[in-house]
Amino acid sequence: MNITPIHTCVFKEREDLPAFIVRHIPSVAEGTVLTVSSKLVGLWKGLTVPYESPSQKEALIRQESQAALKTPLAWLTIKNGMIMTNAGIDESNADGKLILLPRDAYACADELRRRLAAEWGVKKLGIIITDSMILPLRAGIIGAAVAYSGFKGVKDLRGRPDIFGKPLSVTLVNRADALAAACALTMGEADEQCPLCVAERAPVEFADGTDPQEIKYPPENDLYTPLLKAVKLVK
C-alpha cells in the first residue's frame, strides 16, 4: 500500500469540496481510497458557529451528543454511534469558529464518492472522512473513520483458522479505522495543511453500497460497555 498526503491551500467555508479536491488531485488510479479531514466536510456543509465562550461550546457539545460526560481534559461523548471527544466539535485550525461534524457523515461520504468517481472516471473508489480519536489509557491521538463509502469497512475472520488450525471465534478486522489511522499519521494535526491523503493498493474490498451498521458493535457485547455503564455514559 502506498500512502500520499496532499498539501492544499486553505479551504473556505461552503466552497465546493469535490472541485477543491480535483484541483489538488487531478487524477487517481482505479482502486484508490481517499481520506478527507472531517473539518473540510464540516466547512463544506457550512456547519460552523462563531466561538463565543467556554460555556457556549459546552452547551453545543451537549446538544450535539447522544450522551456526554465531563472529564478533566474534555467531554467524553457519544455521537452517531461513536465514542469521541467533544462530539467532534473542533476549534483548532478553525479561525475563531467551532466546526461541527455532520449528523449524517455517511451521506456526505457517499456524495463525495459519487462526484469524485465521475470527475476522475473511476469505478472503484473509497472515501473515508477522518477525525481524531483517543484510545483508553493511551497517550496521544490517532485517526478514526467517522464515515466511509465505496468499500467494506469490516472484514469478518470468524471461522477462519489461525496458523495452528484453531478457528477464530470473535475476530473482526476494522479496515476503515485502520486506514484512517494510517493516513492521519501522514496528514498531521497542526499546521501541516494536508487535509487529504491518497491510499493506493489498500487491502480493501470495494463495493457500490456502504452499510454504516457493519462497523457498529452491539453495546451488549462491547468490551467497554461495563465501564461506560459504571460512569453512567450509557444506560
Side-chain angles (χ1 to χ4, degrees):
M1 183 171 67
N2 188 53
I3 295 175
T4 306
I6 306 298
H7 187 273
T8 72
C9 60
V10 175
F11 184 76
K12 298 177 182 178
E13 186 170 358
R14 295 194 179 277
E15 188 175 349
D16 187 332
L17 182 54
F20 175 87
I21 292 172
V22 171
R23 191 161 72 245
H24 289 88
I25 310 172
S27 64
V28 300
E30 192 76 40
T32 290
V33 176
L34 174 73
T35 57
V36 182
S37 166
S38 61
K39 279 195 183 75
L40 292 192
V41 178
L43 289 169
W44 175 35
K45 297 300 182 180
L47 301 175
T48 68
V49 176
Y51 177 81
E52 297 174 2
S53 66
S55 60
Q56 172 234 16
K57 181 179 179 181
E58 178 178 316
L60 195 58
I61 289 169
R62 295 172 69 89
Q63 173 186 308
E64 291 292 309
S65 305
Q66 280 81 56
L69 176 71
K70 194 168 187 178
T71 75
L73 292 178
W75 283 83
L76 182 64
T77 60
I78 296 177
K79 179 170 180 172
N80 298 341
M82 285 183 66
I83 294 177
M84 61 182 70
T85 56
N86 295 341
I89 295 172
D90 209 339
E91 60 178 298
S92 63
N93 288 316
D95 195 24
K97 298 178 180 179
L98 300 174
I99 304 177
L100 282 63
L101 280 182
R103 295 193 176 181
D104 192 349
Y106 280 91
C108 295
D110 284 339
E111 182 180 353
L112 278 176
R113 181 173 65 90
R114 289 194 304 270
R115 290 188 56 184
L116 290 172
E119 289 283 350
W120 286 327
V122 296
K123 293 184 178 179
K124 293 182 179 179
L125 176 67
I127 299 292
I128 303 176
I129 298 175
T130 66
D131 202 359
S132 301
M133 175 180 284
I134 299 174
L135 297 179
L137 302 179
R138 304 292 274 185
I141 59 175
I142 63 170
V146 296
Y148 57 91
S149 178
F151 65 96
K152 295 184 178 179
V154 178
K155 184 176 183 179
D156 192 346
L157 296 182
R158 291 173 294 185
R160 288 270 299 272
D162 67 10
I163 60 174
F164 298 106
K166 177 179 172 60
L168 301 174
S169 59
V170 297
T171 304
L172 301 171
V173 177
N174 184 333
R175 292 184 287 197
D177 284 326
L179 268 174
C183 290
L185 185 63
T186 68
M187 293 162 72
E189 295 288 342
D191 62 354
E192 295 87 352
Q193 213 167 304
C194 295
L196 306 171
C197 184
V198 173
E200 298 175 301
R201 299 185 301 277
V204 300
E205 181 181 350
F206 290 92
D208 287 334
T210 302
D211 179 12
Q213 299 304 315
E214 68 175 349
I215 204 167
K216 295 180 180 179
Y217 206 63
E220 61 270 20
N221 296 332
D222 192 84
L223 178 66
Y224 293 104
T225 292
L227 178 61
L228 297 175
K229 284 183 175 179
V231 297
K232 299 181 181 180
L233 186 61
V234 296
K235 295 180 180 179

